[in-house]
Amino acid sequence: MTLLEIKHLNKSYMLAGKEKVPVLRDVNVTFESGEFVSILGESGSGKSTLMNIIGGMDSDYEGDVMIQGKTLREMKEIEIDAYRKDKIGFIFQSFNLIPHLSVLENVMIAMQMTDHSEKERTQRAKEILTEIGLKDHMHKRPNQLSGGQKQRVAIARALSNDPEIILADEPTGSLDQETSEQILELLDSIAKKGVLIITVTHSQRVADFGSRIVSVEDGCIKEDLFLKERYTSAKETTQKNGKNLSFAASFKLAINNMTLNTKRNMLVATGGAIGILSVILMLSLGSGVTSYINDQINSSMNPLLVDVVKTSDKGEMKHQEGPPMDEFANEPFTEQDINTISNIANVDSIEKVTTISGKSNVVFNGKNKELSDLETLTDSITADQIEAGTLPNENQVMLTASFAKSLSGDETYKSLVGKPVNLYINEMDGQNQPVTVETQWVVSGIYDQEDKGPIRGAGAYVSYSTLENAYSKLNLVVHPKQINAYAENQDDVVSIKEAVAKAGFQSSPIASIMERITTYVKMASWVLSGIAGISLLVSGIMILVVLNISVVERTREIGILRAIGARKKDIRRIFFSESALLGLLSGVIAVAVAWVISLVLNNILSNTFGVELIQLTPVYMLFGIVVSTLISVVAGVLPSSKAAKLDPMESLRYE
Ligand code: ADP
Ligand code: MG
């Protein structure tokens, strides 16, 4: 079967989108393996155009190009890519080596797209380079080589995939005579192995070297001259698996590309990192401040608690009578009031609270001490606030540490636990006559009011019912001055407060102020993160611009990769990997810097204020890296597809 057959090939270029200029006119020619064909013609006669069509780089023509009986026109794009990769080896006048890859890597790059192992590829590339006489130059960069050496590398690259056809467009055009001859010898030795060599030249001397000269003039074949017999040794065909550029290989290429412009890429990554960094820090600070405030609220009060008081218009008048305001400004609650409050929706339970101020004395061991506040116990006082002993049960009393100390001395105050004390309360009876409520309660525990707790002075706590019992002996009633309503859950607190206000009572504003502060802090941290997010956008645009520049810079390289069989997909993958890598890099930089900043700031904050306000959690770190990578990947979409869409021929011509 004929290796390559061209039938009625016509091609014209549109000039300025209007005039059709014919470049190839009814070209009919066949080629066999082992031939060394020179296509000879003046500059502009259409030789390169013919080569590009044969090489599957240009599909805009009329007529047929058939490879082993199969028409190129009928092949799908991926089949054409595979054809270029497996059957064709390109050699260009200007070598078209990838400047930032070593000689060895330049040869191996075509093999990246095969399923040979890395080891096999390296071995084969080294073999070819040795055969071609470049054994000692394998690790040099192309610009360290002479022209002849560069063209040898290009030939080695063309050979690396063991092609059946080598297309060489003016392979000796940039070389001196002696070097040209060496290259032609080399091509001849390749033809000897059964490869079809088609070279393009405008030099009769070069053309004379081969086995056949096809003269082209103005797009037509003028003469087809056979100088020698073709080499008939059958070419060994290797079984080829149409594999494509692997992800690992495209990543390697991307990393390689990035190291080329390390400075620029580091700058871009750092720019991107600043955006991510500020977002992470703002979120971390926000959550740190929020949880600090929550801690503060929860340690000083129960978040479910709504404390209700009843004030009246008479409050002010009573205030003028002299006694401390906090006792008399509040009206006592009636049974009906209490019912109203406990019937408010979502109130789980209520507690009656009262404080008896400045009316009590405690006697212990003959010592008589004034008790400034006798408080009833509430749920807000918990066991972890107790220094010694337990919370008071019926007929028990809990003393604050400072009161216990005044009663028993600094060393022995804890030994009061379990001992009975006598407590006297001066009250007025129904007839407004002074009476004394006398009790004897056992000390249940010592309350550490230094740290927490609502009362300031020397105080004691009893349960509400214990107090009621003591009063009832003298037919006196205890009036609750505060009702603690407990919400079923935290979200109900606001509605309970509203209902309380509606019923004509007041509730302490502290909890709601705290609540509002937390909301503000959250809002502030989101607003700040939003502002920081703008710099994310900027870094995304930056990456887009840089990748676009990179596409332009590497247009030629993309053409080379396409010429040796890379699919559009592979090109997209390389740029895609590059943008993902950039994003990953900036994410990692951001997280690392954020981590250092949080360590330093937290250290300073905890030394001066005793709190660590920046909560950099693994979730935020992951968030930073993922978002950064995503942004760059998105920014990379346009440049990547731009690169993939580049026309391989035009890219090669690009200077
Ligand atoms: P050769 O390689 O023989 O010097 P080419 O095949 O490169 O010739 O070009 C043949 C003719 O086609 C020339 O006149 C050239 O100007 C024209 N030509 C080549 N490429 C293009 C193109 N992309 N657009 C328009 N005209 C082109
Ligand atoms: Mg040309």
Side-chain angles (χ1 to χ4, degrees), residues 147-210:
Q149 287 170 329
K150 282 184 199 168
Q151 198 57 296
R152 281 167 194 272
V153 177
I155 292 171
R157 181 179 63 191
L159 286 175
S160 66
N161 268 346
D162 196 17
E164 288 168 48
I165 304 170
I166 290 215
L167 302 175
D169 194 346
E170 310 249 11
T172 57
S174 314
L175 305 176
D176 60 48
Q177 193 177 327
E178 195 189 329
T179 324
S180 294
E181 263 159 37
Q182 288 168 3
I183 293 297
L184 290 170
E185 298 273 9
L186 185 57
L187 290 173
D188 189 57
S189 72
I190 296 165
K192 221 173 255 172
K193 289 178 184 159
V195 177
L196 165 61
I197 310 276
I198 305 178
T199 60
V200 157
T201 185
H202 54 265
S203 144
Q204 185 67 49
R205 194 183 46 75
V206 171
D208 287 341
F209 195 92

Side-chain angles (χ1 to χ4, degrees), residues 13-15 21 23 41-50 169-170 200 649-650 653:
Y13 282 115
M14 293 284 261
L15 274 190
V21 180
V23 181
E42 301 277 297
S43 170
S45 54
K47 308 180 298 292
S48 296
T49 307
L50 180 62
D169 194 346
E170 310 249 11
V200 157
M649 260 183 345
E650 307 231 335
R653 223 179 299 127

